[in-house]
Amino acid sequence: MLTRKQYELLVYIDNYLRDHGISPSFDEMKEALNLKSKSGIHRLITGLEERGFIRRLAHRARALEVLRLPDNNDDDAAETPANVTSIATARKAAHRPATVPSAFSDSGESVSLPLFGRIAAGTPIEALRDQTTMVQVPAALLGTGDHYALEVSGDSMIDAGILDGDTVLIQRCEQANDGTIVVALVDDAEATLKRLKRGRGEVLLEPANARYETRALSPDRVRIQGRLIGLLRQY
């Protein structure tokens, strides 16, 4: 069982990663937990790491990865402070993707990702597979695994903070949890950026704009091509 402070820190890191795409700084964690020094944060992180809840990514600043979350059962609930959002609630909450300006400091480490082309955030279009165009992305914005970038066309995801012309960063995957914004390939021909839901034997591709309708498709018509982890925006 985690201690009260370990649980608070784990929830805070998990929510921060989902909101910003990178882990919080030690100063931010110290302030969030109302601790007087960063040494307390170091001890809490070490404890979470030893228990297998998080890991530190080598040779990268602000690089923590949440590996698992505790079961929020009755015994754990007794240890959970009232002012901390529960794990289940935090997992279900809608979060906006991390946004960084397209012109970032050259002093920071960057990674080249293939820019496959334009993906519709309104009406599905065929995903382009041109790997000749690359985009530079801050390494701190990416986690483990394979990634690529797509340019957004349309306004159906504006309520999720995704605008026409944004460049979205996608982590390749074939499975995703409900509520995740994904690149979905429909009928092996069309790709679209939507929030994934499931219900009554159907896959639901849900927009984030009231002007658009949710598409309900049979599972055999939909393949997940990746999940949204962040975006770049030109100002």
Side-chain angles (χ1 to χ4, degrees):
M1 181 182 294
L2 298 179
T3 67
R4 178 191 180 101
K5 284 297 184 183
Q6 286 173 339
Y7 183 91
E8 285 184 37
L9 183 60
L10 182 61
V11 171
Y12 177 72
I13 293 172
D14 187 63
N15 287 340
Y16 195 100
L17 281 167
R18 289 169 174 273
D19 283 336
H20 302 281
I22 60 175
S23 55
S25 67
F26 277 86
D27 285 329
E28 289 171 325
M29 289 185 278
K30 178 172 68 72
E31 291 180 7
L33 271 65
N34 294 318
L35 297 180
K36 294 181 179 179
S37 69
K38 288 186 285 187
S39 61
I41 296 296
H42 280 283
R43 287 193 296 271
L44 291 173
I45 288 177
T46 298
L48 289 171
E49 192 172 26
E50 290 173 347
R51 288 166 174 79
F53 288 95
I54 66 172
R55 70 174 176 181
R56 287 180 252 213
L57 304 180
H59 310 300
R60 287 170 55 182
R62 296 182 66 167
L64 297 173
E65 182 181 8
V66 176
L67 300 176
R68 65 187 181 95
L69 297 170
D71 294 330
N72 199 21
N73 54 33
D74 292 339
D75 291 336
D76 289 335
E79 293 291 317
T80 305
N83 64 340
V84 174
T85 303
S86 71
I87 291 290
T89 301
R91 282 297 194 188
K92 293 177 182 177
H95 294 287
R96 295 192 174 190
T99 306
V100 297
S102 60
F104 51 87
S105 173
D106 291 335
S107 62
E109 182 184 357
S110 65
V111 175
S112 293
L113 296 183
L115 180 62
F116 280 166
R118 292 175 67 83
I119 184 170
T123 303
I125 60 173
E126 185 178 357
L128 301 180
R129 296 291 180 180
D130 178 14
Q131 289 191 256
T132 61
T133 304
M134 308 296 287
V135 60
Q136 295 296 310
V137 177
L141 198 57
L142 305 177
T144 58
D146 192 18
H147 301 80
Y148 61 93
L150 290 165
E151 184 181 350
V152 173
S153 173
D155 62 356
S156 76
M157 298 301 290
I158 57 174
D159 291 341
I162 304 169
L163 309 182
D164 182 43
D166 284 345
T167 298
V168 291
L169 308 178
I170 305 298
Q171 182 184 52
R172 289 183 185 274
C173 65
E174 296 180 352
Q175 301 290 331
N177 295 327
D178 280 12
T180 303
I181 296 176
V182 300
V183 175
L185 188 66
V186 180
D187 296 330
D188 289 326
E190 301 172 321
T192 186
L193 187 72
K194 292 292 183 291
R195 193 177 298 279
L196 177 69
K197 297 288 183 67
R198 297 179 180 86
R200 298 183 180 180
E202 294 179 316
V203 174
L204 306 178
L205 301 180
E206 184 178 274
N209 184 335
R211 294 173 48 221
Y212 295 84
E213 294 184 355
T214 297
R215 298 182 70 188
L217 303 167
S218 59
D220 62 312
R221 296 182 59 193
V222 180
R223 288 197 296 129
I224 306 303
Q225 302 286 284
R227 67 181 186 91
L228 178 72
I229 62 165
L231 64 82
L232 304 176
R233 179 172 297 155
Q234 181 72 44
Y235 291 102

